Amino acid sequence: MTITQEITMHPDLYLFVEGVRARELWEEADRQRKARLVAPASVISAFEERLGWVLVRTGLRLVDRHARRPHWSPSMPPR
């Protein structure tokens, strides 16, 4: 076999491997969901939420400030 040849997996084996992988992902998601229900909101998650809202407000202020500023056009005299 040369380097340029591809190694292909039998379709049935590929489906089996993907099924196992999907089951593992579902189990991990269930574990995380259960852990989230058991554990109270931590200080870090509260900080992340507050930081997120601060960033949203900052972005809205920047957009609002940009919308209020008069746009320069070639016909306007320089300030």
Side-chain angles (χ1 to χ4, degrees):
M1 179 185 325
T2 64
I3 295 175
T4 58
Q5 289 177 329
E6 284 188 28
I7 299 174
T8 58
M9 190 181 300
H10 190 275
D12 291 336
L13 182 58
Y14 178 78
L15 288 175
F16 175 77
V17 170
E18 288 301 312
V20 170
R21 184 170 168 258
R23 245 187 331 273
E24 289 173 349
L25 290 172
W26 278 106
E27 290 170 0
E28 179 65 25
D30 285 340
R31 275 194 298 276
Q32 289 182 6
R33 195 175 303 115
K34 288 175 185 174
R36 199 175 322 126
L37 292 174
V38 171
S42 67
V43 174
I44 293 175
S45 66
F47 173 75
E48 288 173 345
E49 185 175 347
R50 291 184 70 189
L51 176 63
W53 283 112
V54 167
L55 292 173
V56 167
R57 279 192 230 124
T58 304
L60 290 174
R61 285 185 194 139
L62 289 171
V63 168
D64 185 49
R65 186 183 312 162
H66 180 72
R68 289 184 192 178
R69 188 179 67 195
H71 297 287
W72 182 85
S73 70
S75 63
M76 294 177 66
R79 292 183 186 185

